[in-house]
Amino acid sequence: DPRSGRPLRRRAQVTVLARSAAVAEALSTAMLVAGLVAMPGLARRFGVDACWVEGPMVVTTPGFRLHRLGEPTPLAATR
């Protein structure tokens, strides 16, 4: 947590899809610190998509597509 310099207590991971790695890194950290409830609003505000993983829970914004292992992805299906 950049506010306190201490580790976060939650065990979660946030992935952000953005036009630059710097933006993705900054927003994933901000979302992790702000919490799951802030993720959709931050994603809309900055025009990115995100995926929050915490234990068995997975929450995504509408444009973040997930694929099950073993299923072809749309890109692989078109080859």
Side-chain angles (χ1 to χ4, degrees):
D1 185 341
R3 298 171 295 188
S4 67
R6 307 224 5 124
L8 291 174
R9 292 189 176 177
R10 74 174 60 95
R11 291 185 181 252
Q13 178 258 322
V14 179
T15 300
V16 174
L17 303 178
R19 291 185 181 262
S20 80
V23 169
E25 177 65 25
L27 284 174
S28 65
T29 299
M31 289 174 182
L32 191 57
V33 170
L36 177 58
V37 296
M39 186 182 78
L42 285 168
R44 277 191 306 275
R45 180 175 178 191
F46 290 95
V48 299
D49 282 294
C51 176
W52 180 288
V53 179
E54 190 166 1
M57 179 181 64
V58 177
V59 179
T60 65
T61 57
F64 197 108
R65 295 189 186 111
L66 296 176
H67 302 280
R68 293 186 184 271
L69 290 176
E71 290 182 2
T73 64
L75 181 60
T78 60
R79 289 186 180 181

